[in-house]
């Protein structure tokens, strides 16, 4: 089992920045891919970005150039640096883990955090 706990959400004005963190515990994360999803009211959950154990990363088009995923494998922590935030980035952000980047991107993650709210005011 892997437990994921997100932190760092909050309220920020448009153009501002936030850094989300996801602390993982439980089984070893060696070889595990991790990623971030978000869901806003009335919309489907969507992948924001993800990173394989190898370091290969993926970002959805709407966040490219603004968001950056980083991973500290020694501390079992995943981060999401969000810059130039827009009101449409408002959502609950979830951390996820899976055995492969492919499974992350398919939304087939085995492990999920409880989410952290990000609100961007205009």
């Amino acid at each position: 089992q892997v437990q994921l706990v997100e932190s760092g959400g909050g309220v920020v004005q448009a153009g501002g920045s936030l850094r989300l963190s996801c602390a993982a515990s439980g089984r070893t994360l060696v070889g595990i891919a991790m990623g971030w999803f978000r869901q806003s009211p009335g919309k489907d959950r969507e992948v924001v970005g993800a990173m394989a154990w190898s370091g290969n990363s993926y970002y959805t088009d709407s966040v490219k150039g603004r968001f950056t995923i980083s991973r500290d494998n020694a501390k079992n922590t995943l981060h999401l640096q969000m810059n130039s935030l827009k009101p449409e980035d408002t959502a609950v952000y979830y951390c996820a883990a899976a055995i492969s980047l492919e499974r992350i991107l398919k939304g087939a993650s085995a492990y999920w955090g409880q989410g952290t709210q990000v609100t961007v005011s205009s």
Side-chain angles (χ1 to χ4, degrees):
Q1 290 288 341
V2 175
Q3 291 79 44
L4 304 174
V5 178
E6 303 95 337
S7 62
V11 180
V12 63
Q13 288 188 332
S17 299
L18 280 176
R19 187 183 192 223
L20 304 184
S21 297
C22 173
S25 61
R27 58 154 286 179
T28 177
L29 295 181
V30 173
I32 297 296
M34 298 183 72
W36 291 95
F37 287 75
R38 66 186 180 186
Q39 187 168 23
S40 53
K43 294 186 178 180
D44 293 334
R45 183 180 60 195
E46 64 170 345
V47 62
V48 175
M51 181 174 284
W53 175 258
S54 64
N56 290 339
S57 60
Y58 164 88
Y59 297 93
T60 194
D61 286 345
S62 63
V63 308
K64 285 181 180 177
R66 300 189 298 124
F67 291 10
T68 303
I69 290 177
S70 61
R71 182 169 175 168
D72 186 337
N73 291 325
K75 296 183 179 179
N76 288 345
T77 303
L78 184 74
H79 300 287
L80 180 65
Q81 179 66 44
M82 304 185 294
N83 298 328
S84 301
L85 282 161
K86 304 175 180 179
E88 51 264 43
D89 294 318
T90 295
V92 177
Y93 284 70
Y94 298 91
C95 177
I99 61 172
S100 70
L101 185 60
E102 181 181 26
R103 290 188 68 86
I104 290 271
L105 298 181
K106 288 181 177 180
S109 298
Y111 307 106
W112 294 88
Q114 293 185 332
T116 185
Q117 176 71 45
V118 172
T119 302
V120 184
S121 61
S122 58

